[in-house]
Amino acid sequence: MPEQHLEGLALTCRPLGEHDRLLTLLSEAEGLTRLAVPGARRPKSSLAAAVPLAHLMLQVGGRGGLRRVRQLRVLRNYSGLAQRLETLAAAQALAELCLKLVPGETPAPGVLADLLLQLGRLEAVVTERAGRVEALAVAVQGSIHLLALGGFALPLQHCVRSGAPLVPPIGDWSWRCSLLPSEGLAIGAIPGARVMLNPSELALLQRLTRPAPPRSRDGRLMGPEAVWLHLLDLVEAWCGEHLGQRPRAFRLLRTACEPMPSHPSEPA
């Protein structure tokens, strides 16, 4: 096979032999691709920049079996997300989701572009010192986008039981809809449902299919942290049902965002 150029995001990098790395790359052209990166574990190697969450332009070649990276250029490195636990966890969760959703050696239209968009938003959380709920919102909205691109979209417009439109009656606090993970959302508080949503939560969830995050006119993110954690419950349940496993980084994200339990003061 002649040498070719391949642009993508490094999702994972694992040791391969004594000095090499095994790179899993997400690209529009090939979906998930595994590549050998010779000598990448040597400190002075020109290929040492093949690390997770690096957006790379690669020159690859080889005949049969595992192709090898000949040269690379870093287009952008998202290592700064490690400065905060919640941004790192959100990025890792989205990367894990891509590993479960995207087929190997098959074009994956839109997935790389959407993931890079979400990583850019997480970078802004770090640089602008935004609240942790912003990272949580990126993880939830990004997951909904990736699930749709991967063929596992949440059905958010119609009740899976009656077929009636899912129109949240804002202000009616007795109204509920229920997540039935094997089916979708159904109107009513159904016994045994994994997650139940009130009208405001459903309205917020439905807005997450749009490109931009849901914000009020003053630019503030809509929804308190507790609501975003509730929507994370829903995304986790859907992933567990349809992908067979939830991204492990969701647990780390929840740990980073849930309030710490309060302890009574010790007596003096």
Side-chain angles (χ1 to χ4, degrees):
M1 178 182 293
E3 295 196 353
Q4 64 178 119
H5 288 90
L6 192 60
E7 178 190 343
L9 184 77
L11 297 182
T12 64
C13 294
R14 293 188 169 88
L16 180 65
E18 187 175 356
H19 300 294
D20 304 345
R21 286 188 186 138
L22 180 63
L23 168 68
T24 301
L25 188 81
L26 170 67
S27 69
E28 296 278 327
E30 297 187 4
L32 294 181
T33 307
R34 297 204 309 167
L35 300 163
V37 190
R41 294 165 64 196
R42 297 180 187 274
K44 296 184 179 181
S45 170
S46 62
L47 302 180
V51 296
L53 299 182
H55 185 194
L56 305 170
M57 178 63 75
L58 305 175
Q59 183 178 330
V60 301
R63 296 182 179 179
L66 194 63
R67 287 182 291 167
R68 300 167 73 85
V69 175
R70 308 297 191 193
Q71 297 180 27
L72 69 77
R73 178 164 57 92
V74 178
L75 302 178
R76 191 166 179 177
N77 193 314
Y78 294 92
S79 61
L81 298 180
Q83 295 178 40
R84 292 176 57 171
L85 180 58
E86 60 269 25
T87 53
L88 177 61
Q92 289 178 338
L94 295 175
E96 280 188 67
L97 198 52
C98 288
L99 289 170
K100 298 178 187 303
L101 285 169
V102 179
E105 310 296 336
T106 302
V111 177
L112 176 62
D114 197 276
L115 180 56
L116 293 176
L117 175 66
Q118 307 306 335
L119 294 181
R121 288 173 176 165
L122 289 173
E123 272 194 330
V125 173
V126 175
T127 58
E128 297 171 11
R129 299 182 180 181
R132 63 188 185 183
V133 67
E134 292 278 353
L136 179 58
V138 171
V140 173
Q141 184 174 31
S143 295
I144 288 172
H145 286 190
L146 293 173
L147 284 164
L149 290 167
F152 293 94
L154 273 157
L156 300 177
Q157 302 306 320
H158 293 87
C159 171
V160 295
R161 292 286 177 87
S162 68
L166 280 174
V167 181
I170 303 298
D172 181 357
W173 296 110
S174 65
W175 186 92
R176 292 291 184 272
C177 71
S178 302
L179 174 68
L180 308 174
S182 62
E183 303 174 57
L185 291 169
I187 295 173
I190 298 175
R194 190 73 59 86
V195 178
M196 292 187 189
L197 302 179
N198 63 37
S200 294
E201 290 169 334
L202 176 60
L204 180 61
L205 178 63
Q206 289 174 330
R207 292 188 62 153
L208 299 185
T209 59
R210 303 176 185 177
R215 298 191 182 277
S216 56
R217 290 184 179 180
D218 62 4
R220 294 184 182 181
L221 184 71
M222 291 183 174
E225 193 170 87
V227 168
W228 286 102
L229 285 168
H230 195 46
L231 296 183
L232 181 64
D233 290 339
L234 183 142
V235 170
E236 284 190 277
W238 188 258
C239 289
E241 178 71 26
H242 294 274
L243 303 181
Q245 187 179 0
R246 309 174 184 198
R248 290 175 296 177
F250 277 154
R251 183 179 302 175
L252 182 62
L253 178 62
R254 186 177 299 283
T255 299
C257 292
E258 284 185 333
M260 297 293 290
S262 58
H263 298 283
S265 301
E266 296 183 359

